[in-house]
Amino acid sequence: MRFQSILLFLNLFIFFTPQSVLAQDQDSIAFVQADRTTKRIKNGVIWHRVHSSELFGSTQEINWIEIDLKKHQKRLHLAADSAELKTTSDFAKEQQALVAINGGFFDMKNGGSIDYIRVDGEVINVTKAPSNRANAVLSFDNRHVDIQANTLAHAEDSSLPNVLVSGPLLIERDTLVTLERNPFNDNRHPRTAIGLSPNNTLILLVVDGRNRMAQGMSLPELSKIMKWLDVHNAMNLDGGGSTTMYIKGATDTDIVNHPSDNKSFDHQGERSVANIIYLK
């Protein structure tokens, strides 16, 4: 499995690297040494969970799914509603999803995405007001997936049938993107992200937060996690109370992380959202 290869590399790096250098990046060591579980959902779909009380000097709970796109590219989809808000699990069940995460930012009062989204060639919502935050775009068809810097024209002019604008962009061509200093980026919150590796593996990742069992991450911390997972292009998605990961049959609710809207560290606190990214 791909993550085991990354774990082996990080362990070898720790073993052969001088302590003076390692002292500068104790967080990568904490990530390698954290309690972890790995479960095969099906061939080419692997679920990982990591819990650490030392990562970034805080307590963290991270779930991510590796999807081998060589096997499952044609099963990747978006689901969205132009006005009605639904929980991630309701969206996922309607679409008979195997796994899913929440998608982009949305209008909590009136519903629908606040940024451009196209599903199977149909424009569901257009960008209401361009922002520096929504500077990344996910686009794909049944052969290709792309994550890159966004301009409004790029999203609207894309020839691909599935397009989701969100952000900020975290990693571009294997380089951490310099992020603006502001409370949204710098404070710790639950987070959702998506990333693409050069070997055509898609990473869907959620970080729990707003609880003593999981404090959440800043975006620079989230970028580091994605980088350690060998992601070469990555973008942030809607986080906070929206952060949700669905795996069919994995729990009583099918939710494997701990959505924060009910202020309890359980699987019950889902927030209704405007769209999801899922694997059929």
Side-chain angles (χ1 to χ4, degrees), residues 80-278:
D81 194 287
S82 62
E84 183 181 358
L85 300 179
K86 309 174 189 178
T87 63
T88 295
S89 60
D90 281 345
F91 265 120
K93 289 170 184 175
E94 287 176 1
Q95 302 300 325
Q96 299 180 320
L98 175 66
V99 302
I101 56 171
N102 65 290
F105 302 104
F106 59 92
D107 186 330
M108 296 184 68
K109 181 179 179 180
N110 301 305
S113 174
I114 63 173
D115 298 303
Y116 186 89
I117 182 168
R118 183 194 308 161
V119 179
D120 295 332
E122 178 185 356
V123 176
I124 307 299
N125 294 105
V126 297
T127 297
K128 294 185 177 180
S131 72
N132 292 335
R133 183 182 301 171
N135 67 352
V137 58
L138 165 72
S139 54
F140 62 92
D141 60 13
N142 61 9
R143 294 180 297 173
H144 305 286
V145 177
D146 197 13
I147 296 171
Q148 60 182 303
N150 172 61
T151 66
L152 185 59
H154 173 79
E156 294 182 349
D157 293 343
S158 172
S159 62
L160 298 179
N162 298 288
V163 179
L164 183 150
V165 172
S166 190
L169 190 67
L170 302 177
I171 303 173
E172 185 176 27
R173 299 186 185 94
D174 201 30
T175 300
L176 296 177
V177 175
T178 300
L179 298 167
E180 294 181 4
R181 296 299 304 271
N182 58 53
F184 178 85
N185 292 350
D186 297 340
N187 293 344
R188 284 179 170 157
H189 297 288
R191 302 288 187 177
T192 305
I194 185 169
L196 189 64
S197 76
N199 68 346
N200 218 24
T201 297
L202 190 69
I203 301 291
L204 310 179
L205 183 142
V206 297
V207 176
D208 286 332
R210 298 177 180 170
N211 190 281
R212 65 180 181 84
M213 298 293 293
Q215 294 171 251
M217 292 185 188
S218 68
L219 288 188
E221 291 168 344
L222 180 66
S223 297
K224 287 184 177 182
I225 295 294
M226 299 299 277
K227 181 73 170 175
W228 294 336
L229 294 177
D230 194 33
V231 167
H232 284 210
N233 292 280
M235 62 189 283
N236 181 63
L237 299 167
D238 189 17
S242 301
T243 290
T244 307
M245 178 172 283
Y246 172 99
I247 300 178
K248 183 179 180 180
T251 67
D252 290 344
T253 62
D254 301 313
I255 301 303
V256 300
N257 73 309
H258 304 86
S260 64
D261 252 20
N262 65 348
K263 298 179 172 59
S264 297
F265 201 67
D266 58 26
H267 304 302
Q268 307 293 329
E270 280 189 87
R271 174 180 292 179
S272 294
V273 298
N275 48 74
I276 66 169
I277 302 165
Y278 73 97

